[in-house]
Amino acid sequence: MNLSVETVPPERRKPKPAADNLGFGNLFTDHMLTMRYQAGTGWQDAAIVPYQPFSLDPAAMVLHYGQAIFEGLKAYRGEDGSALLFRPKDNIRRMNRSAARMCMPSLPEEEVFAALCRLVDLEREWIPAARGASLYIRPTMIATEPGLGVRPAEEYLFFIILSPVGAYYPEGFNPVKIFVTDTYVRAVPGGVGEAKTAGNYAASIIAAVEAKEKGYTQVLWLDGVERRYIEEVGTMNIFFVINGEVITPPLAGSILPGITRDSVLRLVRDWGLPVSERRISIDEVLAAAENGSLTEVFGTGTAAVISPVGLLSYRGKEYPVNGGATGKLAQRLFDELLGIQYGERPDPYGWLVRL
Ligand code: COI
């Protein structure tokens, strides 16, 4: 596949922000990647172009029926100035699984990987140097064909935009307070819970807003049938440590198959800790919180990295976790993962791609 490149002249490029107060997803780099799909012809017109708005037909099917999928991954600045991508091919593969669920076309994985590397290489000066900061990469696919019939569209736009980011939560690596909702559910068996599709996030906003109004950072979702088994948190997968056992809900179709989740499982297994991917009910978690056997809760995600949970709130009662402080395992995982991601520690799993 040909990739055309149109660059912004150096004097028109945006100033780079200071790395200490970036927030999350508010700033975008000078260039983006776009590629179009047409049924019958396939993917074409791959191009790196100046970052700019698109024009979309008001009948574009994404605006009506929500065929939209995305990914999130990060590039880190290594000590020697190299750009370090963390498990990028896993994100491209996951995007193709989301595409299949949403009846969207499959991406050519090697070509997309090469184009992504080219874009990050072009924008490497945007990778912030500060510890904890990175360049967030957002590949996205939307249905652009105009039409109001409910069916798979025949035209799509794939694009990648880049955003220099700091911590996702205002708390940074400090413990967050989580509200457990049994009013709303995120996904049901047979639904789209494991696809990284925009509608899952749209549906989650009301619960997040209500939790925030009550003073909590995020929502913990329970299963959509019994409202009893733990699923995931708004923007991350969730782990519990009970009596020394590291527990996370299984990938049974309704939760996002997180790449950070997978990395954490790999690390804790290799550290010899007992690990279970199993169903765990909110009653089990709260009973363990009350009898002292719940020693840690933490979330995992690309944006959130490792995010300790210091408190759970359920049905009007608050349950502190580890006295509201960061647990030992969360700290160890945070140090190890960031160490690998910034190229400071050995990468025995071959997770990094160095540009
Ligand atoms: C990520 O962690 O990359 C995500 O996609 C979560 C996002 C919705 C902020």
Side-chain angles (χ1 to χ4, degrees), residues 34-45:
T34 60
M35 183 166 77
R36 299 213 169 248
Y37 177 90
Q38 173 77 55
T41 315
W43 289 104
Q44 58 206 337
D45 303 335

Side-chain angles (χ1 to χ4, degrees), residues 155-168:
E155 292 165 21
Y156 295 85
L157 173 66
F158 170 75
F159 58 92
I160 304 179
I161 53 175
L162 308 176
S163 174
V165 299
Y168 184 72

Side-chain angles (χ1 to χ4, degrees), residues 24 70-74 91 94 136-138 168 196 201 218 234-236 256 260 300-305:
F24 186 88
F70 68 93
E71 274 301 320
L73 65 154
K74 283 177 171 171
N91 287 90
R94 184 173 66 181
Y136 186 75
I137 303 168
R138 173 51 65 89
Y168 184 72
K196 204 158 174 64
Y201 295 82
Q218 281 274 321
T235 55
M236 46 189 197
L256 192 82
T260 312
T300 64
T302 296
V305 195

Side-chain angles (χ1 to χ4, degrees), residues 226-246:
E226 295 180 57
R227 302 195 186 191
R228 189 164 157 226
Y229 293 98
I230 308 282
E231 296 259 298
E232 64 181 82
V233 174
T235 55
M236 46 189 197
N237 295 113
I238 188 99
F239 285 73
F240 303 89
V241 184
I242 300 179
N243 283 326
E245 179 193 13
V246 183

